[in-house]
Amino acid sequence: MWKAPWLPSHVPHGETPERCPRCGRRALIRWTLRRDLQRRVFRLWVCADCQATQEREEPE
């Protein structure tokens, strides 16, 4: 499977991954943060195996 070079391809040491809703493997890890125009904080989660992404709102 093709891997995007800007997304992780393995789970970093010390990270506790969650189960990916797309592939079912325990490889969903926290990746980047961003703010929207209303100043809410969102974190991008990415699966290190299938590279599916999911954005979730984060508490400040």
Side-chain angles (χ1 to χ4, degrees), residues 25-40:
R25 295 191 176 99
R26 293 192 59 81
L28 192 68
I29 57 173
R30 297 175 293 159
W31 193 238
T32 60
L33 290 171
R34 76 168 184 89
R35 285 190 187 271
D36 68 359
L37 295 174
Q38 288 80 34
R39 307 285 297 156
R40 294 178 299 179

Side-chain angles (χ1 to χ4, degrees), residues 10-58:
H10 66 280
V11 176
H13 181 70
E15 185 71 36
T16 53
E18 293 184 8
R19 188 164 305 279
C20 175
R22 185 167 135 196
C23 70
R25 295 191 176 99
R26 293 192 59 81
L28 192 68
I29 57 173
R30 297 175 293 159
W31 193 238
T32 60
L33 290 171
R34 76 168 184 89
R35 285 190 187 271
D36 68 359
L37 295 174
Q38 288 80 34
R39 307 285 297 156
R40 294 178 299 179
V41 178
F42 291 89
R43 180 173 300 275
L44 182 68
W45 290 70
V46 64
C47 177
D49 191 59
C50 72
Q51 296 201 327
T53 59
Q54 184 178 80
E55 198 168 52
R56 300 180 191 171
E57 192 167 355
E58 289 269 313

